Amino acid sequence: MTDWILNHLYLLAYVAVFAPMAAAPAGWLIGRRHKEGRDCFAFVSCGLELSVFLFLFALTLGGVDCGAARIPEICGRGLSFRMDGFRVLYGTVAAFLWFMTTVFSKEYFAHYHNRNRYYFFLLLTLGATEGVFLAQDFFTLFIFFEIMSLASFAWVAHDEREESLRAANTYLGVSVIGGLVMLMGLFLLYGADSRLLSVAGLCLLFGFGAKAGAFPLHIWLPKAHPVAPAPASALLSGVLTKTGVFGILLLTATVFCGDMAWGTLILAMGVLTMVLGALLALFSVDLKRTLACSSVSQIGFVLVGVGLAGLLGEENALAVRGAILHMVNHSLIKLVLFLSAGVVFMNLHKLNLNDVRGFGRKKPLLNYCFLMGALGIGGIPLWNGYVSKTLLHESIVEFTRMAAEGQAGSYVSAGVLQVVEWIFLISGGLTVAYMTKLYVALFIEKNQDQKVQRQFDALKGRYMNKLSGGVLAVGATLLPVFGFMPDLVMGKLADMGQSLFESGTAIGPQHVPAEGGQHVMDWFGLENLKGAGISICIGILVYLFVVRTLLMKRRGDSRVYVNRWNRWLDLENLVYRPVLLHVLPFVCGVFCRVLDCLVDTIVVCLRKTIYRDSKLPVELLEGNRLTHMAGCVGNGLQRLGNRSVWRKNPRNVDYEHRFALIYQEWEEDSLIIGRSLSFGLLLFCVGLLLTVIYLLMAA
């Protein structure tokens, strides 16, 4: 029996991908009759999905190759799935987050409309997302990537408010445009020569970067998260953005590994995304928007690791492990933080920091959960975020050393890398600052309205049920556990995830990191603690001298949070919408008008030159050509005679008309004769027929 299971593990790939998608309509039908039954069905479906991946996770951790699966003749190329270390790892993370958010959703959506629709798209998106993570090639990844993008659109638009629909339209627009550019990249990739390979890579990077929320395609993320339900926000930030990062990782590992230009591009994109997201989060005064902008920044941290993985070549173990672990850490952290924000919104239906200020006071469980998430994402030692950020920081230091020794090529100098390192540390400090801002506002400060604060304090244990509290507590407790035992827990996860760089799973050269999973880190040594300490100090200074002064203003007897970020700096309103809605249609209209006029001009020129029209023949009023020619000759001779012989008695006869009349008379006579002949022939036939009949009868 055990041998049969091991030989048929590939069947679990089909179960993991298609079972949730099949469960979606089943859950919808159940929900039309029984709401509680639908909630339980969704809970069980996500639980079974998690069980499948935990089984695969245990096998992979034990060294078992779970194999691959293929469905031929689907969409022309077939669908291919692979269950290696990274895919199983992130499939498990996705299934865990889905299960936890589904449990939390029962209380969160208790007073919502359209719950049936939410659960339908929850399960549909789960199957599509697992299809992305298990995809063996870019074609399969693209198919499920598009299904996932379209299905998750309903999450953002769920409330159906004006701001929700606008954010959903932005999300859908970015997804559709990104998908079309990805499709173009796929066409180029599968039929490309070396000259077009870079173009194909850039097209795919556009689509993956849009989903990941990388600069400058991050515009959907700060808009979608504040309006989406909190469980959906946790999945959008914790899982769906990682599908884009997975695509970029796959490109780097299998197509552009060791390509210095590609690694430099990803590194630059990561640095810009990292610092811009942190600044947006620092200025925001909306709880969920701050967490959304934080996701942009943390994706930037991951992309820095991906870029360094491409640049470091065979020495990329630290960068690869740091990028993969920060993906996992960010997913778990955002599960806790967004669900904590969901608890706040579930009770108050407000997200502005001035409105929710003081809500967390006298709520120890919520305080504990949010604090664990804040410490984790801030990179505080002994929490999980510290481990991955330390690896990323060390990879920057390592590449700086290589550049100083002339081993890093000519793309990035040691001086530039030192700037990158400081931006990395400053971005980490900004993370500490904005998370301190949120924590202080929610759990330390009191609300300006004392009556409102008393209402907050009176909630005590009634602000969420035990099931939701258990979900938050479990998720929050994982964060310090992972951080306390970096080698025992996170080292194993990194070993699994590193398999993506150990085998070519799409196209391109294979690459094996030299150090594999055996790199020894002194996690709490002075050098590693120094980087975290610098970021923490920067964060404290920014909080004291920026947040508490520039980002607050006095209103009456108290100080309130204000958003100093200039609205004109909104890329969507400043660039994308004007370009897509006004500039692009105008330019295309002018271009099409020019082409239309150009074609007409060419046709006219050809008709006036090469294809010039010949003179049309004149239709005669009477007669035929022969009478016309004869009449012209007669009239000409008549004119000649009138000038000579008949000068004294000129003649005025229209010979053309006369000859036409003669012709007409001849034609009429011919017609009469023809008709007479026809009549005679007809009579002859009748007589002949009668004669034949008589002869037959007489015989």
Side-chain angles (χ1 to χ4, degrees):
M1 185 64 179
T2 304
D3 292 338
W4 187 90
I5 294 174
L6 293 177
N7 292 331
H8 293 79
L9 285 175
Y10 67 92
L11 295 175
L12 292 180
Y14 303 143
V15 174
V17 174
F18 297 111
M21 299 177 78
W28 183 80
L29 291 173
I30 294 172
R32 291 178 62 87
R33 296 284 185 180
H34 197 279
K35 306 301 181 186
E36 291 291 330
R38 177 211 50 221
D39 295 349
C40 292
F41 179 79
F43 176 82
V44 171
S45 298
C46 293
L48 291 175
E49 182 80 354
L50 178 59
S51 300
V52 169
F53 273 100
L54 287 175
F55 177 66
L56 292 173
F57 183 87
L59 290 177
T60 306
L61 200 61
V64 177
D65 183 3
C66 296
R70 177 172 173 77
I71 306 176
E73 305 302 329
I74 298 293
C75 300
R77 298 188 63 91
L79 301 178
S80 300
F81 304 102
R82 177 77 186 171
M83 293 180 288
D84 60 9
F86 179 88
R87 289 170 170 81
V88 170
L89 169 63
Y90 232 89
T92 305
V93 171
F96 175 74
L97 263 69
W98 240 274
F99 177 77
M100 301 294 274
T101 53
T102 303
V103 175
F104 184 84
S105 295
K106 181 175 177 59
E107 181 184 13
Y108 186 88
F109 285 98
H111 303 292
Y112 266 75
H113 297 291
N114 300 318
R115 285 178 291 173
N116 224 24
R117 181 181 66 192
Y118 168 78
Y119 281 105
F120 174 84
F121 286 107
L122 180 79
L123 293 173
L124 183 63
T125 310
L126 170 58
T129 304
E130 297 293 11
V132 171
F133 286 126
L134 294 181
Q136 185 175 15
D137 56 48
F138 287 116
F139 180 78
T140 305
L141 192 154
F142 171 77
I143 296 295
F144 288 100
F145 198 88
E146 291 305 293
I147 297 173
M148 177 195 69
S149 298
L150 294 176
S152 56
F153 162 79
W155 292 350
V156 184
H158 185 81
D159 285 341
E160 297 183 10
R161 294 174 294 156
E162 182 179 355
E163 58 268 30
S164 301
L165 295 176
R166 180 181 173 87
N169 289 335
T170 300
Y171 174 72
L172 185 62
V174 172
S175 297
V176 170
I177 294 173
L180 291 174
V181 177
M182 279 180 65
L183 183 61
M184 187 191 318
L186 279 178
F187 290 151
L188 293 174
L189 184 66
Y190 282 105
D193 54 24
S194 58
R195 294 174 299 174
L196 294 177
L197 190 60
S198 297
V199 179
L202 289 175
C203 290
L204 290 169
L205 178 62
F206 183 95
F208 292 135
K211 181 59 66 182
F215 177 84
L217 303 171
H218 65 285
I219 57 170
W220 68 270
L221 218 154
K223 305 290 180 68
H225 284 298
V227 299
S233 295
L235 295 176
L236 283 167
S237 176
V239 182
L240 267 65
T241 55
K242 305 308 182 299
T243 61
V245 177
F246 170 61
I248 299 174
L249 265 172
L250 199 61
L251 273 174
T252 305
T254 61
V255 181
F256 296 104
C257 189
D259 188 315
M260 300 297 288
W262 176 266
T264 304
L265 174 63
I266 303 299
L267 178 62
M269 187 168 66
V271 170
L272 290 172
T273 305
M274 177 175 62
V275 68
L276 177 66
L279 286 172
L280 289 172
L282 185 70
F283 279 80
S284 173
V285 294
D286 184 285
L287 176 58
K288 286 179 68 178
R289 179 181 170 83
T290 303
L291 297 177
C293 295
S294 169
S295 294
V296 175
S297 180
Q298 301 308 309
I299 292 299
F301 279 91
V302 176
L303 291 179
V304 167
V306 177
L308 289 169
L311 288 169
L312 284 164
E314 295 184 356
E315 303 294 330
N316 67 1
L318 288 175
V320 171
R321 295 166 74 84
I324 291 171
L325 287 180
H326 203 64
M327 288 175 64
V328 175
N329 288 336
H330 180 249
S331 295
L332 298 175
I333 291 168
K334 282 305 166 70
L335 169 71
V336 174
L337 291 177
F338 270 112
L339 293 189
S340 298
V343 172
V344 176
F345 184 79
M346 187 169 59
N347 286 274
L348 304 181
H349 298 285
K350 297 177 181 179
L351 291 170
N352 188 285
L353 290 184
N354 297 306
D355 296 328
V356 303
R357 205 171 182 176
F359 174 81
R361 292 171 61 89
K362 299 183 180 180
K363 298 177 179 63
L365 179 58
L366 184 63
N367 191 329
Y368 164 76
C369 295
F370 194 91
L371 181 61
M372 294 301 102
L375 294 173
I377 201 170
I380 308 302
L382 299 179
W383 273 262
N384 60 339
Y386 167 77
V387 177
S388 52
K389 286 188 175 182
T390 298
L391 288 170
L392 293 173
H393 181 232
E394 286 301 305
S395 63
I396 297 175
V397 173
E398 182 178 355
F399 193 53
T400 304
R401 176 187 57 78
M402 292 175 62
E405 296 174 357
Q407 303 175 19
S410 59
Y411 282 90
V412 184
S413 66
V416 171
L417 286 170
Q418 288 177 348
V419 173
V420 169
E421 181 185 3
W422 274 105
I423 294 176
F424 181 93
L425 296 174
I426 291 171
S427 299
L430 294 177
T431 305
V432 173
Y434 63 69
M435 290 310 301
T436 303
K437 173 184 175 181
L438 294 182
Y439 181 79
V440 170
L442 281 171
F443 299 100
I444 296 179
E445 293 179 327
K446 291 185 178 181
N447 197 281
Q448 293 176 291
D449 191 328
Q450 295 183 0
K451 181 180 179 181
V452 171
Q453 185 61 55
R454 285 195 295 270
Q455 292 174 351
F456 289 171
D457 295 341
L459 287 173
K460 293 184 179 179
R462 296 184 290 109
Y463 59 93
M464 64 177 169
N465 62 30
K466 293 181 179 180
L467 195 61
S468 300
V471 168
L472 271 172
V474 171
T477 304
L478 289 177
L479 309 184
V481 169
F482 282 16
F484 289 161
M485 298 178 289
D487 287 319
L488 181 62
V489 177
M490 303 202 75
K492 299 293 185 182
L493 299 182
D495 291 341
M496 288 182 63
Q498 204 167 347
S499 65
L500 189 66
F501 276 76
E502 293 176 355
S503 61
T505 52
I507 64 172
Q510 297 188 357
H511 171 66
V512 182
E515 295 176 331
Q518 305 301 319
H519 191 91
V520 178
M521 286 286 297
D522 183 8
W523 296 108
F524 304 108
L526 184 59
E527 286 298 320
N528 290 326
L529 290 173
K530 178 182 175 182
I534 292 174
S535 290
I536 293 170
C537 291
I538 292 173
I540 294 172
L541 293 175
V542 170
Y543 178 76
L544 293 176
F545 295 104
V546 177
V547 174
R548 303 303 298 183
T549 55
L550 297 178
L551 302 184
M552 297 186 76
K553 69 177 182 181
R554 184 165 294 281
R555 181 184 294 172
D557 296 332
S558 61
R559 296 172 61 80
V560 297
Y561 294 97
V562 292
N563 187 356
R564 303 286 188 185
W565 189 263
N566 195 321
R567 292 184 178 181
W568 287 99
L569 296 177
D570 188 326
L571 276 180
E572 180 185 353
N573 296 326
L574 182 65
V575 178
Y576 292 112
R577 283 187 178 268
V579 168
L580 292 176
L581 299 180
H582 302 291
V583 177
L584 192 60
F586 175 77
V587 172
C588 291
V590 171
F591 182 70
C592 293
R593 194 69 177 266
V594 170
L595 289 180
D596 180 58
C597 296
L598 181 62
V599 172
D600 291 341
T601 304
I602 293 173
V603 170
V604 171
C605 292
L606 289 174
R607 292 194 63 181
K608 293 295 184 180
T609 55
I610 300 174
Y611 298 104
R612 183 171 53 189
D613 295 338
S614 59
K615 188 176 181 180
L616 294 174
V618 179
E619 185 178 356
L620 299 175
L621 298 176
E622 55 184 355
N624 60 11
R625 289 183 178 277
L626 182 61
T627 61
H628 173 70
M629 292 174 62
C632 289
V633 172
N635 289 336
L637 293 174
Q638 179 180 251
R639 284 193 298 271
L640 183 61
N642 288 339
R643 292 177 182 176
S644 57
V645 180
W646 302 321
R647 181 179 296 179
K648 293 182 179 181
N649 298 306
R651 299 180 181 182
N652 190 18
V653 180
D654 186 354
Y655 286 98
E656 185 175 359
H657 178 64
R658 176 176 289 185
F659 291 152
L661 290 176
I662 295 172
Y663 169 74
Q664 186 175 359
E665 290 176 1
W666 177 82
E667 192 176 38
E668 289 175 355
D669 292 342
S670 299
L671 181 61
I672 292 172
I673 294 172
R675 286 178 177 176
S676 300
L677 181 61
S678 299
F679 182 72
L681 290 173
L682 178 62
L683 291 179
F684 175 77
C685 289
V686 171
L688 182 61
L689 181 61
L690 291 174
T691 303
V692 171
I693 293 172
Y694 171 78
L695 292 173
L696 290 172
M697 291 179 67

